[in-house]
Amino acid sequence: MSMTIHQMRIFWAVSQAKSYTKASKMLGLAQPSLSQQISKLEDEAGSKLFNRIGGKIQLTDAGQFLYKKAELILANFEETEVGLKEFSDKTRGIIKVGMLSSVARNILPSTVKIFSEFFPNIEINVLEVAPAEAIDLLYARQLNIAVVAADSIAAANLSFMENEVFTDPYVLAVPKSLDISNKKSIKDLGLKQQNILKSTILFEFGSQHKKRIDAWFKKNIIDVKVLAYTRSYEVALSMVEAELGVVVLPALTAVVGSGRSYNVNLYQTNILKRRLVALTPNQFSKLEPSKTFIDSLIKAGKKLSLPKIIGTPDLFNHGIELNEKNL
């Protein structure tokens, strides 16, 4: 039997993605090549590893057995690779990190500065990706570390070591020209200002996040309408600056970097705070250089400062904190 590590990685990715198409994107391989490697692996194993039921891929009994072993095989192999690199002066190590650009621009400069004091020759490869994509890349062994919001990923998918990096509140961003701090009712605003406040920008990623934002708007603003959907905090804040509407987002996303913020007013909400966490495969959590990079992220997180946040306006209802249990 001559199974290869390459085949193990493909099998693991397909098992996690439950889709050849998604696994091919995770691994950056053409789907025919991926399917061919799975067929070869099944020939070597002498058993079928996947069944197609109702258009979905499910592991067979043999596949379930191999799935449990594949994690150990890949973990041991990758741990060995990392360990051997420590003995080679000629090998330049690489850490691959995935996170949103709004997080990267605020936390990475300080992180890299701290990390470089211990590992000056390690190359940092940053992928600016949405949380779900970062998780897929972790499963596909394309990332060493992913920094994501803990509530943006289903708990069942988080089979990684988790370290908290930073916590920030969700705020309502409104145009600088729209001062609602002393307003008792939305009717106290002019018609144009009312239209701006009722025009919202929503995000397409994170189902729990979307539920909480929808619930907050329904509770606090009557006749709300969706102006646009976006996957980018930067785009949303640019629309707010242009006086097109308002958006609820984590406070840190309004920081451009180096103490500079978007030209908007930020108002406190009662939505459950965002927890940014660093996720890494268990076998790397205590191995260098991943361990020191995570420690550097945590230290950099403690140095982060939030932009000015104004207290919750009276025109909003003061309800209980919105979290998953309230939805």
Side-chain angles (χ1 to χ4, degrees):
M1 189 175 290
S2 57
M3 296 181 185
T4 67
I5 291 296
H6 181 56
Q7 289 173 340
M8 286 290 102
R9 284 185 171 133
I10 290 174
F11 168 75
W12 174 254
V14 174
S15 300
Q16 290 295 332
K18 296 180 175 59
S19 162
Y20 282 96
T21 302
K22 187 175 180 180
S24 68
K25 292 179 180 178
M26 288 165 58
L27 295 169
L29 293 174
Q31 189 170 331
S33 174
L34 184 145
S35 299
Q36 186 179 46
Q37 289 299 321
I38 291 294
S39 294
K40 287 182 178 179
L41 182 60
E42 289 180 326
D43 289 341
E44 290 292 337
S47 300
K48 195 173 183 179
L49 301 173
F50 297 103
N51 284 324
R52 288 184 179 273
I53 301 175
K56 296 182 180 180
I57 292 177
Q58 293 184 355
L59 288 166
T60 63
D61 289 343
Q64 289 283 1
F65 172 82
L66 183 59
Y67 175 76
K68 294 176 183 178
K69 298 297 181 183
E71 169 64 13
L72 296 174
I73 292 168
L74 291 173
N76 288 331
F77 181 81
E78 289 161 358
E79 186 176 338
T80 302
E81 279 188 317
V82 172
L84 285 173
K85 285 179 181 179
E86 294 181 7
F87 295 96
S88 175
D89 295 332
K90 298 179 181 179
T91 302
R92 179 176 170 81
I94 299 175
I95 282 190
K96 296 179 181 179
V97 186
M99 60 181 72
L100 290 169
S101 60
S102 59
V103 175
R105 68 172 180 258
N106 284 295
I107 201 168
L108 264 184
S110 295
T111 299
V112 174
K113 188 177 292 186
I114 296 168
F115 177 76
S116 295
E117 293 178 5
F118 300 93
F119 292 94
N121 296 318
I122 296 293
E123 179 181 317
I124 312 297
N125 188 345
V126 183
L127 281 74
E128 298 177 21
V129 292
E133 296 170 275
I135 296 299
D136 285 344
L137 291 170
L138 273 181
Y139 278 130
R141 264 59 179 186
Q142 301 297 308
L143 287 180
N144 301 105
I145 299 165
V147 180
V148 301
D151 62 356
S152 64
I153 302 297
N157 292 331
L158 296 181
S159 56
F160 303 103
M161 184 64 69
E162 177 182 312
N163 288 275
E164 187 165 311
V165 175
F166 187 71
T167 300
D168 59 342
Y170 278 93
V171 294
L172 175 71
V174 307
K176 205 73 174 180
S177 61
L178 181 53
D179 182 3
I180 58 175
S181 55
N182 297 317
K183 305 300 180 183
K184 301 294 184 181
S185 168
I186 195 170
K187 294 179 181 179
D188 293 336
L189 299 171
L191 185 60
K192 179 181 178 181
Q193 293 178 319
Q194 288 186 37
N195 288 333
I196 293 173
L197 196 58
K198 292 179 180 180
S199 300
T200 68
I201 303 154
L202 295 178
F203 297 96
E204 293 183 326
F205 55 79
S207 59
Q208 288 299 328
H209 165 81
K210 186 177 183 301
K211 287 179 181 178
R212 281 195 295 275
I213 302 305
D214 287 345
W216 187 88
F217 273 115
K218 288 177 181 178
K219 180 177 179 60
N220 291 283
I221 301 177
I222 301 173
D223 299 329
V224 64
K225 66 177 181 179
V226 177
L227 174 71
Y229 288 95
T230 179
R231 287 167 58 89
S232 165
Y233 292 122
E234 291 82 0
V235 169
L237 286 163
S238 296
M239 288 185 174
V240 174
E241 281 187 323
E243 301 184 352
L244 295 173
V246 299
V247 62
V248 171
L249 36 61
L252 185 65
T253 64
V255 179
V256 180
S258 302
R260 295 176 291 116
S261 301
Y262 281 87
N263 190 34
V264 298
N265 285 330
L266 303 177
Y267 290 92
Q268 184 178 340
T269 72
N270 59 352
I271 299 173
L272 188 71
K273 292 182 178 181
R274 176 180 72 163
R275 289 176 52 244
L276 286 174
V277 296
L279 304 177
T280 189
N282 290 332
Q283 71 269 24
F284 292 132
S285 61
K286 295 183 180 180
L287 284 179
E288 299 293 5
S290 294
K291 181 181 181 299
T292 295
F293 192 87
I294 292 171
D295 290 342
S296 301
L297 276 168
I298 295 170
K299 290 178 182 177
K302 292 178 180 178
K303 295 181 178 180
L304 287 175
S305 57
L306 294 174
K308 179 183 177 182
I309 301 173
I310 306 169
T312 306
D314 289 336
L315 63 83
F316 295 145
N317 296 317
H318 296 276
I320 57 175
E321 189 174 60
L322 293 174
N323 55 38
E324 286 88 343
K325 294 180 180 179
N326 304 135
L327 300 179

